[in-house]
Amino acid sequence: MLRGLNMFVLMATSWAWATLLVVGGASLAVSPPTGLGPWKGKIVVLAGLAGVAAGVFVFEVIVADRLFPKARRPLTLSVELFSGAFMLIFTAAAVFVWVSGV
């Protein structure tokens, strides 16, 4: 009983966290705030895309792996690696644009 409750709480909070990352990142990527200067809008868009990828990653690693424990491991591993790579790439791109001022 307690193990099931713990699993439910873990999945519910992880689902909420992933949803917040995806929705918040998508809203930043689609309509970045104005008045930030000519290049700061790019940083916000890249950070928003990184947030979307982070939300997908959190959902895959915490929620989907527990909901579907018998899924083929090569498939789940490749999807997790791609979303994690996109998260790192967009984060690195945002930092590069911020530091270089491109």
Side-chain angles (χ1 to χ4, degrees):
M1 173 77 174
L2 188 57
R3 186 175 191 283
L5 181 63
N6 283 340
M7 186 63 68
F8 174 75
V9 170
L10 173 71
M11 295 211 329
T13 55
S14 300
W15 175 81
W17 181 24
T19 302
L20 181 65
L21 282 167
V22 169
V23 171
S27 68
L28 283 177
V30 171
S31 60
T34 57
L36 295 176
W39 53 270
K40 291 185 182 178
K42 296 176 192 175
I43 295 172
V44 175
V45 170
L46 290 169
L49 292 173
V52 171
V56 171
F57 182 76
V58 166
F59 183 81
E60 290 169 354
V61 170
I62 298 176
V63 179
D65 281 350
R66 285 173 178 77
L67 282 178
F68 304 103
K70 295 184 182 187
R72 291 183 26 228
R73 190 63 191 151
L75 175 66
T76 60
L77 183 63
S78 64
V79 172
E80 290 168 2
L81 285 175
F82 276 118
S83 64
F86 282 130
M87 177 180 60
L88 292 175
I89 289 168
F90 286 129
T91 302
V95 169
F96 175 75
V97 169
W98 178 51
V99 170
S100 68
V102 173

